[in-house]
Amino acid sequence: MDFREILPRRRMVRHYSPEPVPRETVERIVATVRRAPSAGYSQGQRLLVLTEPEPRAELARIMYEAGWTQGENREPWLESAPVIVLVCTREEDYHDRYRRPDKLLDGEEIPWPVPFWFVDAGAALMMLLLAAIDEGLAAGVSGITGGETADRMREAFGIPLDIELVALVTIGHAAPDPGWSAVTSRRTRPRRAESESVRWERW
C-alpha cells in the first residue's frame, strides 16, 4: 500500500471484530519498530505483545480498576482487541550510548534537551499504527497512568523496573464504533489548519 493511501486511513479505532490476527501478521507489524529512529542508535524502544486471552483480560482488568473507563453506550475497546502492544522504553540505553567516547561532549554525557527515550517511543508507536494499516488492520492508542497502575502491570507481566511504560496500542479488524465516534475529539473538534501547524522559513 502506498504511503499516501495509508495516511488518510489512520484514525483511532476503539472496537474490533472477533476475527483473529495471524501470528505472522503481528510479527511483521512489531518488527517495524526496529526501523524506528532512535537517538544515537540507542535502540531503547521495547514492546510487550499480548495476544492470548488471559493476558489481554488481565491488562483490561488493571486498566479498569485504575479508573480507565469507556463510558456508557460505547463499544468494548480493550476486551475486543485481539492484539495489545505495550510500548515501553529503557532510559538507561540512552545514557549508556551517550557515555561512549564518540558521543561525549567535553568529556561528559550531553545535557539532554528533551527525554529522547520518550521521543523514540513515540516514533515506534507511530510505526505500529502505520504498519497495522498496511496489513489491512486498524489500531488505537491509550495512555497508561503511572504509579500503582504501572506497578501492577510490572507485576502481572514481569516487566523489569528499568523499563518504563509509555502507552498501549490495540490492533485488530475494525468493527463499527458509533458510540465512540460520537464523542471522540476527532468528531467534536475541528482539525487544526495546516497554516497553524506548519510554518516556512520563519515562525
Side-chain angles (χ1 to χ4, degrees), residues 63-85:
M63 291 289 283
Y64 284 123
E65 289 174 7
W68 188 93
T69 178
Q70 62 187 33
E72 296 182 3
N73 301 318
R74 299 179 199 172
E75 300 75 24
W77 180 359
L78 295 181
E79 55 267 53
S80 71
V83 180
I84 301 176
V85 182

Side-chain angles (χ1 to χ4, degrees), residues 21-50:
V21 178
R23 170 75 179 229
E24 57 269 24
T25 301
V26 180
E27 289 176 351
R28 286 195 298 269
I29 292 171
V30 298
T32 62
V33 302
R34 299 182 65 246
R35 293 290 181 177
S38 66
Y41 206 45
S42 300
Q43 304 177 76
Q45 303 101 323
R46 300 289 194 278
L47 303 180
L48 177 60
V49 185
L50 307 179

Side-chain angles (χ1 to χ4, degrees), residues 3 5 9 14 26 28 33 65 69 71 88 96 99 103 111 113 126 128-129 132 135 139 149 162 165 178 181 190:
F3 186 66
E5 297 178 283
R9 296 177 58 183
R14 299 174 175 87
V26 180
R28 286 195 298 269
V33 302
E65 289 174 7
T69 178
C88 308
D96 288 344
R99 289 173 186 144
K103 289 295 184 183
M126 180 56 79
L128 293 176
L129 299 180
E135 293 285 352
T149 303
D162 63 347
L165 289 86
S181 294

Side-chain angles (χ1 to χ4, degrees), residues 3-149:
F3 186 66
R4 294 179 185 274
E5 297 178 283
I6 292 177
L7 280 182
R9 296 177 58 183
R10 201 219 65 74
R11 74 174 186 89
M12 285 279 288
V13 173
R14 299 174 175 87
H15 188 213
Y16 303 91
S17 76
E19 183 178 353
V21 178
R23 170 75 179 229
E24 57 269 24
T25 301
V26 180
E27 289 176 351
R28 286 195 298 269
I29 292 171
V30 298
T32 62
V33 302
R34 299 182 65 246
R35 293 290 181 177
S38 66
Y41 206 45
S42 300
Q43 304 177 76
Q45 303 101 323
R46 300 289 194 278
L47 303 180
L48 177 60
V49 185
L50 307 179
T51 59
E52 296 295 326
E54 186 173 337
R56 290 188 286 113
E58 178 62 17
L59 177 68
R61 279 194 293 271
I62 293 172
M63 291 289 283
Y64 284 123
E65 289 174 7
W68 188 93
T69 178
Q70 62 187 33
E72 296 182 3
N73 301 318
R74 299 179 199 172
E75 300 75 24
W77 180 359
L78 295 181
E79 55 267 53
S80 71
V83 180
I84 301 176
V85 182
L86 293 177
V87 179
C88 308
T89 188
R90 183 175 185 269
E91 178 181 343
E92 196 58 32
D93 284 348
Y94 294 80
H95 299 303
D96 288 344
R97 176 68 184 97
Y98 279 80
R99 289 173 186 144
R100 294 182 179 273
D102 64 316
K103 289 295 184 183
L104 295 178
L105 181 65
D106 297 327
E108 302 288 340
E109 180 182 356
I110 64 168
W112 290 90
V114 295
F116 268 87
W117 37 97
F118 293 125
V119 174
D120 292 349
L125 188 154
M126 180 56 79
M127 295 287 274
L128 293 176
L129 299 180
L130 297 180
I133 296 170
D134 191 49
E135 293 285 352
L137 300 170
V141 180
S142 176
I144 298 173
T145 57
E148 183 179 349
T149 303

Side-chain angles (χ1 to χ4, degrees), residues 105-202:
L105 181 65
D106 297 327
E108 302 288 340
E109 180 182 356
I110 64 168
W112 290 90
V114 295
F116 268 87
W117 37 97
F118 293 125
V119 174
D120 292 349
L125 188 154
M126 180 56 79
M127 295 287 274
L128 293 176
L129 299 180
L130 297 180
I133 296 170
D134 191 49
E135 293 285 352
L137 300 170
V141 180
S142 176
I144 298 173
T145 57
E148 183 179 349
T149 303
D151 290 342
R152 289 191 60 191
M153 288 188 182
R154 291 183 197 284
E155 182 178 357
F157 304 112
I159 301 171
L161 290 174
D162 63 347
I163 301 297
E164 189 151 4
L165 289 86
V166 177
L168 65 83
V169 175
T170 53
I171 299 172
H173 295 272
D177 58 354
W180 279 108
S181 294
V183 297
T184 59
S185 298
R186 183 173 58 89
R187 292 291 179 89
T188 59
R189 292 176 57 84
R191 188 178 298 276
R192 192 180 299 276
E194 184 177 342
S195 60
E196 295 183 60
S197 301
V198 181
R199 288 169 169 77
W200 295 75
E201 316 308 341
R202 287 178 60 85

